[in-house]
């Protein structure tokens, strides 16, 4: 599969033990569509997905500290997230 | 070549939405994005179905490209403006592909679909019809396409620019972090390659950085642009964006895109592979 699905990879493609970062983006308390970028610990771009219609996103990553940056019309916001090997890290971003 | 010959902004596109000499073409990594909505009067080219040979791992041939563009209503003198999601990765790939078959007038929409959306510009669902043409393609211009033997021969001799993310370069990940991690290849990079991620060419909103910023980037990374250069990534789409920057925006000659990229190189038997971060 090569397409960047809105919201990130389909849940059915998650393999056990895969390190995953997922979450959702809101603006004024409501889900908002836009884009979410994954930046590594040096601030380098790693990946970007469009959010789903309900503002959700998901990345496969490696263990470590990451920044997720939401870009939506009229705003951006960053959150730091720590991913554990084989774990699921969840993050909510309010823009 | 001036930047304005190959790159247009959203205002230019809005002013040319009804210009029959202009074909606006969406090429997306997510090939279904177009169905939801797209720029008014834009047609779609599906990079998986339209641009790949259905059997072999290769592009459609010259005749196939002629048929495709004829059916899409693109003539030899049409100005083709490409845009797409994911920071124009696949629009850049299509740009390079159109140049491979010798299309004269191709441009990218700066910032692609993302900037258009973030600016809250109009998108529609209606699919336009363009009258069919009789398109004539040229033979492939292989001066801009690298094959695996070119890459092996370039180790230590030419510039190899690996435009993947640092974790893919070092061998930590096999694919970008938003995709499943296929396991068929060995991780790592081509020895002597410099890791200059494609993203360093672009701003957060997907627009390209200025020519001066781009020149400074490759100088700082010690890429001697007087030498021949091969860019690669995982499947040749992000490296098409770097090819666009070097060859089209900065006017560097002898730059090739290796479309086989890591999915081919990382599966080859017997070739050298290096692990670890950029030195």
């Amino acid at each position: 599969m090569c397409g960047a699905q809105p919201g990130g990879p389909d849940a059915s493609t998650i393999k056990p033990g895969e390190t995953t970062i997922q979450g959702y983006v809101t603006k004024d308390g409501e889900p908002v569509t836009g884009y979410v970028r994954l930046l590594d610990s040096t601030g380098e771009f790693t990946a970007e997905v469009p959010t789903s219609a309900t503002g959700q996103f998901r990345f496969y990553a490696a263990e470590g500290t990451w920044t997720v940056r939401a870009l939506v019309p009229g705003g951006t916001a960053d959150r730091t997230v720590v991913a554990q090997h084989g774990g699921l890290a969840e993050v909510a971003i309010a823009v | 070549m001036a930047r304005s010959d190959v790159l247009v902004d959203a205002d230019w596109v809005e002013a040319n939405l009804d210009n029959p000499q202009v074909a606006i073409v969406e090429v997306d990594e997510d090939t279904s994005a177009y169905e939801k909505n797209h720029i008014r009067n834009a047609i779609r080219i599906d990079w998986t179905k339209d641009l790949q040979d259905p059997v072999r791992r290769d592009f459609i041939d010259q005749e196939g490209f002629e048929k495709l563009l004829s059916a899409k209503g693109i003539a030899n003198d049409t100005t083709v403006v490409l845009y797409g999601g994911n920071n124009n990765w696949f629009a850049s790939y299509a740009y390079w592909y159109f140049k491979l078959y010798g299309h004269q007038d191709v441009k990218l929409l700066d910032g692609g679909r993302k900037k258009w959306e973030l600016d809250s510009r109009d998108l529609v669902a209606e699919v336009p019809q363009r009258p069919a043409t009789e398109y004539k393609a040229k033979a492939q211009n292989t001066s801009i396409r690298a094959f695996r033997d070119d890459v092996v021969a370039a180790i230590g001799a030419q510039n190899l620019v690996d435009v993947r993310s640092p974790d893919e370069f070092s061998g930590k990940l096999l694919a970008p972090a938003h995709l499943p991690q296929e396991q068929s290849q060995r991780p790592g990079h081509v020895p002597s390659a410099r890791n200059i991620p494609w993203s360093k060419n672009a701003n957060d909103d997907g627009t390209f950085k200025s020519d001066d910023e781009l020149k400074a980037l490759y100088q700082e990374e010690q890429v001697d642009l007087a030498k021949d250069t091969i860019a690669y990534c995982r499947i040749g789409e992000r490296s098409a964006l770097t090819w666009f920057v070097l060859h089209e925006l900065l006017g560097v000659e002898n730059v090739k895109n290796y479309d086989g990229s890591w999915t081919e190189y990382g599966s080859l038997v017997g070739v050298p592979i290096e692990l670890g971060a950029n030195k």
Side-chain angles (χ1 to χ4, degrees):
Chain A
M1 191 201 76
C2 291
Q5 304 298 324
D10 191 279
S12 64
T13 63
I14 290 186
K15 295 177 203 138
E18 198 118 55
T19 307
T20 307
I21 297 170
Q22 68 177 29
Y24 57 93
V25 185
T26 55
K27 192 178 182 193
D28 303 325
E30 297 292 325
V32 61
T33 58
Y35 293 83
V36 180
R37 321 193 105 196
L38 182 68
L39 311 176
D40 72 13
S41 56
T42 67
E44 181 56 57
F45 174 95
T46 302
E48 180 179 278
V49 291
T51 62
S52 71
T54 51
Q56 291 168 313
F57 63 89
R58 178 180 297 129
F59 296 106
Y60 293 108
E63 187 177 349
T65 302
W66 301 87
T67 298
V68 282
R69 173 174 297 164
L71 306 176
V72 302
T76 67
D78 288 1
R79 292 289 179 276
T80 302
V81 57
V82 178
Q84 309 283 355
H85 180 69
L88 173 64
E90 298 206 61
V91 57
I93 310 176
V95 178
Chain B
M1 187 181 290
R3 193 178 179 101
S4 58
D5 292 335
V6 295
L7 199 60
V8 294
D9 63 15
D11 288 342
W12 188 97
V13 170
E14 285 198 332
N16 285 279
L17 288 178
D18 295 300
N19 181 348
Q21 271 302 110
V22 174
I24 302 162
V25 184
E26 178 161 330
V27 189
D28 259 311
E29 182 180 23
D30 170 9
T31 55
S32 66
Y34 177 89
E35 287 157 27
K36 191 175 71 177
N37 54 34
H38 45 262
I39 295 176
R40 185 169 66 79
N41 278 339
I43 57 172
R44 165 170 63 175
I45 287 181
D46 182 323
W47 75 274
T48 55
K49 291 192 186 118
D50 295 333
L51 299 180
Q52 314 299 325
D53 183 284
V55 179
R56 298 179 307 132
R57 183 175 173 193
D58 204 349
F59 299 149
I60 55 170
D61 61 15
Q62 186 177 344
E63 192 185 335
F65 191 70
E66 289 176 343
K67 275 189 192 159
L68 172 70
L69 265 57
S70 299
K72 295 284 178 189
I74 296 171
N76 285 72
D77 62 353
T78 302
T79 297
V80 173
V81 178
L82 295 156
Y83 78 98
N86 221 338
N87 301 283
N88 274 336
W89 285 5
F90 284 82
S92 299
Y93 176 84
Y95 182 105
W96 169 76
Y97 198 114
F98 271 66
K99 286 296 180 190
L100 195 64
Y101 280 119
H103 192 81
Q104 189 63 37
D105 193 3
V106 194
K107 301 175 196 298
L108 275 184
L109 166 58
D110 203 13
R113 185 175 173 117
K114 180 169 70 171
K115 179 158 171 56
W116 190 278
E117 288 180 7
L118 292 175
D119 289 349
S120 301
R121 291 182 190 258
D122 285 345
L123 292 165
V124 302
E126 189 188 358
V127 175
Q129 291 296 323
R130 295 180 65 92
T133 63
E134 289 191 19
Y135 191 88
K136 291 285 169 220
K138 294 185 178 158
Q140 275 195 23
N141 173 11
T142 50
S143 74
I144 61 170
R145 187 181 188 194
F147 295 91
R148 59 180 179 245
D149 292 344
D150 302 326
V151 175
V152 174
I155 295 172
Q158 297 178 16
N159 299 317
L160 285 162
V161 179
D162 184 319
V163 315
R164 295 173 300 161
S165 59
D167 280 350
E168 291 171 87
F169 180 85
S170 69
K172 214 166 160 187
L173 291 178
L174 269 162
H178 67 285
L179 297 177
Q181 302 294 309
E182 292 117 336
Q183 298 296 329
S184 55
Q185 320 104 304
R186 296 304 175 101
H189 56 264
V190 182
S192 80
R194 302 286 304 158
N195 184 209
I196 308 171
W198 72 272
S199 54
K200 290 190 183 293
N201 297 308
N203 301 306
D204 268 8
D205 65 5
T207 55
F208 288 101
K209 290 183 177 168
S210 70
D211 288 356
D212 287 345
E213 287 173 307
L214 292 169
K215 275 180 210 151
L217 167 66
Y218 289 91
Q219 275 167 6
E220 279 163 24
E221 295 291 343
Q222 298 151 27
V223 178
D224 176 6
L225 293 175
K227 282 189 185 174
D228 294 355
T229 301
I230 295 174
Y232 73 90
C233 59
R234 188 179 70 107
I235 55 171
E237 82 299 13
R238 287 173 284 177
S239 48
L241 186 145
T242 291
W243 175 87
F244 178 86
V245 165
L246 292 173
H247 195 269
E248 302 295 278
L249 291 182
L250 298 184
V252 179
E253 290 176 12
N254 300 327
V255 184
K256 294 183 181 189
N257 181 27
Y258 173 37
D259 55 281
S261 270
W262 196 257
T263 54
E264 178 178 62
Y265 193 94
S267 302
L268 293 176
V269 174
V271 294
I273 290 179
E274 203 167 71
L275 293 171
N278 219 7
K279 286 173 192 149

